[in-house]
Amino acid sequence: MIPFLDLERVNAPYMQRIEEAAIRVLRSGRYILGNEVDEFEKSFAAYCEAGYCIGTANGLDALTLILKAFAFPEKSEVIVPANTYIATVLPLSFLGLTPVFVEPEEVTMLLNPELIEDKITPSTKAIITADLYGRSCEMARILELANDYNLKVITDAAQAHGAAYFGKKTGSMAHATAFSFYPTKNLGALGDAGAVVTSDKELAQKIRYLRNYGSALRYQNEYKGMNSRLDEIQAAFLHVKLPYLDKENKRRRQMASRYLTEIQVKNLVLPPTDRIQEDAWHLFVVRHPDRTALIAFLEANGIQTDVHYPLPVHKQEAYKEYKSLKLPVTEKMHQEVLSLPLNPVLTEEELTYIIQTVNRFDA
Amino acid sequence: MIPFLDLERVNAPYMQRIEEAAIRVLRSGRYILGNEVDEFEKSFAAYCEAGYCIGTANGLDALTLILKAFAFPEKSEVIVPANTYIATVLPLSFLGLTPVFVEPEEVTMLLNPELIEDKITPSTKAIITADLYGRSCEMARILELANDYNLKVITDAAQAHGAAYFGKKTGSMAHATAFSFYPTKNLGALGDAGAVVTSDKELAQKIRYLRNYGSALRYQNEYKGMNSRLDEIQAAFLHVKLPYLDKENKRRRQMASRYLTEIQVKNLVLPPTDRIQEDAWHLFVVRHPDRTALIAFLEANGIQTDVHYPLPVHKQEAYKEYKSLKLPVTEKMHQEVLSLPLNPVLTEEELTYIIQTVNRFDA
Ligand SMILES: Cc1ncc(COP(=O)(O)O)c(/C=N/[C@H]2[C@@H](O)[C@@H](C)O[C@H](OP(=O)(O)OP(=O)(O)OC[C@H]3O[C@@H](n4cc(C)c(=O)[nH]c4=O)C[C@@H]3O)[C@@H]2O)c1O
Ligand SMILES: Cc1ncc(COP(=O)(O)O)c(/C=N/[C@H]2[C@@H](O)[C@@H](C)O[C@H](OP(=O)(O)OP(=O)(O)OC[C@H]3O[C@@H](n4cc(C)c(=O)[nH]c4=O)C[C@@H]3O)[C@@H]2O)c1O
């Protein structure tokens, strides 16, 4: 059986250094916002070609902190992709902001820039782009729109560590970018972790306070802040793994290339091939009208797949107030998408086997 | 120099088992909501003599999750102690609830039950008690009031692991209790961690979803939930330390007893002696009209102290809308309180030295 993702194998090459890092931090007696967090923040900001990085407890909190820092008035509207993981939208709800769902572009499945302008009203304050599957959104067009309408651009890059857009690193383009280091991500911690990346100095400073009870100096609270800190021990693990992210992403790109050139099945839609080298290939998402059959066929042949995601945000019980909203492109995608295994520890043989098996599927 | 708290020394007796636990978890490949969290939750619920425990990312989130689960209408009023750490109050602000500050009782410095009834209005939904310094609030009276007015009682027990109130364990009395396992707490993780404890099955279930994006089943979201999980690795550390909490609290009680019987200084007010054996003595907080002089004197004699806390919540910049509120008892306390070192690794010699030095203070 080829598992969709085997985290033990993914972390194995780093395990010795991860264990050493753990022991160093545990023995240091310093567990909250110390040197390990500082150093990782500096390295990750540099990696993203951005000014500042602020470690957070997770990716959802990173988005929440960005939105808190912008302090848009309640009921402000924020453009969000209809095709995304629910965590892109939840922070808006916490802060009394209104998500305005925009359909994806058919080929990339990402926020369709051509549909944004129509949704902008005097209450619109920001656009959230979600770089799903590891691919950057169409930032040129989106930044232009944001400039024209004086909107903030926030990127949810939970799935896109190390991606780029025409030479610009993810994290260097939006006003602020949220990363998740959930264990399954391209850069994954061994627990929950996240970060905000921005080049706006004041925003970075405010988020730094907001993640720490709103406190600048100990016991002095300027803002009504959260508690959302990156643990020292997780920062140390991330610091061990960061230097290998590019190498791992390169391996992901090679695998994606093989999939893209070698898979050929009737009715199976592959992801676009135009930006293989800049995509971080967090997931390799194909589409098929009879997804259930394809999943069963692969499973029967020892290949585990996954679905990212089966139910769109506006159809979740949590968002039942949007139940009657019609977003046909998004809804169709959620019925058809299927993620094939793609991660840096898959062997060429496993890859070949997956490709051959998929190509045998006939439905 | 006797440091106020030396975490390296505090954790030293457990360090070998902590390191073993770290390595076990790291090698397991399972980092989020697995067995370690499960097992710690069961043990901690049992320890608190309560039905359920739900691990969370930290203590502030634990309170936030409880309040989210109760889902009081916006602008509902919640009684909170005016003398507390700001994290007791922040979750109310996140959820659009109105804190109603109540002054502390002079001797215990905890929420004065006699002042609560006057503050109850038709909008009041809950009372938050904060068991500051490790001492339980007057639960009999508070639960009676809550019963009379149909209010929920929520305890912030960030500082009171293992405390009790007339034989009832902290965590077993309120409708829901929030714990922090911040590293400096009586039961401290080696990073951020927290938990909710409750005996209400439905509430526990809802909080379980709410800490995990509001999700019951994978990718199905019933509620607009947060991301606030206890890390597997931190759960494993807590599980190593929990069996020793009672022994450590006993040691704290012995030290508190010595302080209480041996310290005698003009104008120095000691904590109450009536419940030494049920207090968890997270902090030993004395009061002196010339705190600054006392701090300087102790510092000059090699004793580090701390102040919990220097500025009340309603005087924080973050709560400037309450700036003109007059809470004289609280304000006076914040000017006079001083925490002497008290933690399980202080030696009898150090204790004797602290007592003798304090007793030499004359101002
Ligand atoms: C666009 C976007 N925005 C914001 C966020 C929110 O970020 P966070 O707040 O940091 O979660 C996400 C997160 N997105 C993540 C998370 O929300 C997560 C809970 O679910 C999905 O990720 P994924 O499908 O990879 O996670 P999973 O836990 O189901 O694990 C997948 C496989 O990996 C294996 N596994 C997993 C774990 C955790 C393990 O320890 N060991 C192991 O063997 C078991 C499973 O078969 C989401 O894509 C996002 O995609
Ligand atoms: C009533 C109540 N409700 C809710 C909460 C919120 O809970 P959490 O959300 O879990 O924080 C609190 C938390 N309360 C805590 C926390 O909010 C914390 C940031 O500040 C205070 O705790 P404390 O004064 O012990 O913390 P500190 O970081 O200043 O450390 C004290 C000493 O310990 C040393 N130290 C500390 C750390 C962290 C270390 O790694 N190594 C080390 O050597 C250095 C310092 O000299 C609060 O009492 C509370 O008291």
Side-chain angles (χ1 to χ4, degrees):
Chain A
M1 187 68 163
I2 301 176
F4 182 72
L5 183 65
D6 181 346
L7 272 192
E8 240 184 287
R9 223 163 114 190
V10 168
N11 285 316
Y14 315 111
M15 197 41 81
Q16 200 191 324
R17 265 164 308 154
I18 284 172
E19 290 175 11
E20 285 161 12
I23 285 166
R24 180 181 73 241
V25 174
L26 293 173
R27 292 187 187 167
S28 74
R30 187 95 183 99
Y31 309 118
I32 305 284
L33 298 184
N35 286 340
E36 304 283 347
V37 170
D38 264 10
E39 280 177 31
F40 172 72
E41 287 177 345
K42 288 202 186 90
S43 307
F44 195 65
Y47 178 83
C48 293
E49 296 167 7
Y52 310 92
C53 168
I54 306 101
T56 64
N58 55 63
L60 174 54
D61 283 2
L63 271 174
T64 309
L65 284 162
I66 292 169
L67 288 163
K68 258 192 204 276
F70 281 131
F72 303 129
E74 244 187 87
K75 300 215 159 64
S76 294
E77 293 172 11
V78 176
I79 307 279
V80 287
N83 178 38
T84 191
Y85 182 63
I86 193 168
T88 312
V89 185
L90 287 166
L92 298 174
S93 306
F94 301 160
L95 303 178
L97 304 171
T98 306
V100 176
F101 295 102
V102 170
E103 287 264 49
E105 203 261 312
E106 263 285 355
V107 178
T108 62
M109 300 191 267
L110 304 182
L111 186 59
N112 189 338
E114 299 314 318
L115 303 178
I116 295 174
E117 198 159 7
D118 265 5
K119 301 283 185 163
I120 295 174
T121 75
S123 302
T124 310
K125 295 293 177 211
I127 302 170
I128 299 185
T129 64
D131 293 356
L132 235 49
Y133 323 134
R135 182 183 167 103
S136 174
C137 290
E138 283 303 326
M139 291 304 274
R141 183 78 191 101
I142 291 165
L143 288 167
E144 191 182 278
L145 274 169
N147 194 48
D148 291 351
Y149 290 93
N150 196 23
L151 308 177
K152 300 293 179 190
V153 176
I154 300 166
T155 292
D156 178 349
Q159 306 192 0
H161 319 70
Y165 176 81
F166 293 101
K168 294 220 174 83
K169 267 281 176 69
T170 297
S172 70
M173 292 172 285
H175 294 105
T177 303
F179 287 91
S180 162
F181 305 118
Y182 187 78
T184 62
K185 301 305 187 194
N186 284 29
L187 180 61
L190 289 87
D192 272 303
V196 174
V197 166
T198 180
S199 294
D200 178 332
K201 189 176 177 175
E202 271 175 51
L203 188 75
Q205 187 63 278
K206 189 169 179 187
I207 290 173
R208 219 169 270 289
Y209 299 167
L210 284 174
R211 74 162 167 193
N212 193 35
Y213 321 98
S215 178
L217 285 171
R218 186 163 179 250
Y219 301 149
Q220 291 200 18
N221 297 71
E222 276 185 60
Y223 305 107
K224 295 186 176 88
M226 308 166 57
N227 179 357
S228 182
R229 298 176 286 232
L230 173 59
D231 268 344
E232 282 285 285
I233 199 166
Q234 299 296 343
F237 299 157
L238 292 167
H239 214 188
V240 166
K241 293 177 73 179
L242 178 58
Y244 303 93
L245 176 57
D246 280 343
K247 203 185 82 188
E248 292 204 345
N249 280 348
K250 195 173 155 201
R251 177 83 191 106
R252 287 174 184 271
R253 287 174 188 130
Q254 287 167 348
M255 288 190 280
S257 298
R258 279 201 64 191
Y259 276 155
L260 288 169
T261 48
E262 298 178 38
I263 293 179
Q264 273 179 321
V265 177
K266 194 174 50 149
N267 295 329
L268 187 92
V269 180
L270 294 170
T273 55
D274 59 328
R275 297 241 308 277
I276 299 180
Q277 297 311 320
E278 292 203 314
D279 191 311
W281 296 104
H282 172 58
L283 298 169
F284 192 89
V285 177
V286 303
R287 276 172 283 177
H288 195 282
D290 194 353
R291 174 173 71 190
T292 313
L294 181 52
I295 292 174
F297 175 79
L298 293 174
E299 184 83 21
N301 285 283
I303 297 165
Q304 199 187 12
T305 57
D306 208 341
V307 172
H308 298 91
Y309 298 94
L311 197 62
V313 180
H314 69 287
K315 295 293 176 193
Q316 298 281 358
E317 182 63 21
Y319 281 96
K320 54 177 176 293
E321 63 272 32
Y322 292 94
K323 211 184 324 201
S324 54
L325 201 63
K326 296 267 173 301
L327 296 163
V329 185
T330 300
E331 288 157 29
K332 186 156 172 278
M333 277 172 190
H334 279 77
Q335 266 153 17
E336 299 191 343
V337 291
L338 175 70
S339 306
L340 298 180
L342 190 162
N343 57 70
V345 295
L346 282 182
T347 63
E348 289 300 324
E349 293 68 43
E350 287 171 322
L351 218 59
T352 304
Y353 177 72
I354 295 168
I355 291 163
Q356 285 172 348
T357 311
V358 172
N359 283 342
R360 273 171 41 219
F361 179 67
D362 197 2
Chain B
M1 186 69 163
I2 301 177
F4 181 72
L5 183 66
D6 181 345
L7 272 191
E8 241 184 286
R9 221 163 115 190
V10 168
N11 285 317
Y14 315 112
M15 197 42 78
Q16 199 190 323
R17 267 166 305 157
I18 284 171
E19 290 175 12
E20 284 162 12
I23 285 166
R24 182 182 72 240
V25 174
L26 294 174
R27 291 187 187 168
S28 75
R30 187 95 184 101
Y31 309 118
I32 305 284
L33 298 183
N35 286 340
E36 304 284 349
V37 170
D38 264 9
E39 280 177 31
F40 172 71
E41 287 177 345
K42 288 200 187 91
S43 308
F44 195 65
Y47 177 83
C48 294
E49 295 166 9
Y52 310 92
C53 167
I54 305 103
T56 63
N58 55 63
L60 175 54
D61 282 1
L63 272 175
T64 310
L65 284 162
I66 293 170
L67 289 164
K68 256 191 204 278
F70 281 131
F72 303 129
E74 243 187 90
K75 300 214 158 68
S76 295
E77 293 171 11
V78 176
I79 307 279
V80 287
N83 179 36
T84 191
Y85 182 63
I86 193 167
T88 312
V89 185
L90 287 167
L92 299 174
S93 305
F94 301 160
L95 303 178
L97 304 171
T98 305
V100 176
F101 294 103
V102 169
E103 287 264 49
E105 202 261 312
E106 264 284 357
V107 178
T108 62
M109 299 191 267
L110 302 182
L111 186 59
N112 189 336
E114 300 313 318
L115 303 178
I116 294 174
E117 199 158 8
D118 265 5
K119 300 283 184 164
I120 296 174
T121 76
S123 302
T124 311
K125 297 290 178 212
I127 302 170
I128 299 185
T129 63
D131 293 355
L132 235 48
Y133 323 134
R135 181 183 169 104
S136 174
C137 289
E138 282 305 327
M139 291 304 275
R141 184 78 191 98
I142 290 165
L143 288 167
E144 190 182 277
L145 274 169
N147 194 47
D148 292 351
Y149 290 92
N150 196 23
L151 308 177
K152 300 292 178 191
V153 176
I154 301 165
T155 293
D156 178 349
Q159 306 192 359
H161 318 71
Y165 175 81
F166 294 100
K168 294 220 173 83
K169 267 282 175 68
T170 296
S172 70
M173 293 172 284
H175 295 105
T177 303
F179 287 91
S180 162
F181 306 118
Y182 187 78
T184 63
K185 301 305 186 195
N186 284 29
L187 180 60
L190 289 87
D192 272 303
V196 174
V197 167
T198 180
S199 294
D200 178 334
K201 190 177 176 174
E202 271 175 53
L203 189 75
Q205 188 62 277
K206 189 168 179 188
I207 291 173
R208 220 169 269 290
Y209 299 167
L210 285 174
R211 73 162 167 192
N212 194 34
Y213 321 99
S215 177
L217 286 171
R218 186 163 179 250
Y219 302 149
Q220 292 200 18
N221 298 73
E222 276 186 62
Y223 305 107
K224 296 185 177 87
M226 309 167 55
N227 179 355
S228 182
R229 299 176 286 233
L230 173 60
D231 268 343
E232 282 285 285
I233 199 166
Q234 299 296 342
F237 299 157
L238 291 168
H239 214 189
V240 166
K241 293 177 73 179
L242 178 58
Y244 303 93
L245 176 57
D246 280 342
K247 203 185 81 189
E248 292 205 345
N249 279 348
K250 193 173 158 204
R251 177 83 192 107
R252 287 175 184 270
R253 287 175 187 128
Q254 287 165 347
M255 288 189 280
S257 298
R258 279 201 62 191
Y259 276 154
L260 287 169
T261 47
E262 297 178 40
I263 293 179
Q264 273 178 322
V265 177
K266 194 174 50 145
N267 294 327
L268 187 93
V269 180
L270 294 170
T273 54
D274 59 329
R275 297 242 307 278
I276 299 180
Q277 298 311 322
E278 292 204 313
D279 191 312
W281 296 104
H282 172 58
L283 297 169
F284 191 89
V285 177
V286 302
R287 276 172 282 177
H288 195 283
D290 194 353
R291 173 173 72 188
T292 313
L294 180 52
I295 293 174
F297 175 78
L298 293 173
E299 182 83 21
N301 285 283
I303 298 165
Q304 198 187 12
T305 57
D306 208 340
V307 172
H308 297 92
Y309 297 93
L311 197 63
V313 179
H314 69 288
K315 295 294 177 194
Q316 297 281 359
E317 181 63 21
Y319 281 97
K320 54 177 176 293
E321 61 273 32
Y322 292 94
K323 212 183 326 200
S324 55
L325 201 64
K326 295 269 173 299
L327 296 162
V329 184
T330 300
E331 287 157 31
K332 186 157 171 279
M333 277 172 190
H334 279 77
Q335 265 154 18
E336 297 190 347
V337 292
L338 175 71
S339 306
L340 298 181
L342 189 162
N343 57 70
V345 295
L346 281 182
T347 64
E348 290 299 325
E349 294 69 43
E350 285 171 323
L351 218 59
T352 303
Y353 176 72
I354 295 168
I355 292 163
Q356 285 171 349
T357 311
V358 172
N359 283 340
R360 273 171 43 220
F361 180 69
D362 197 4

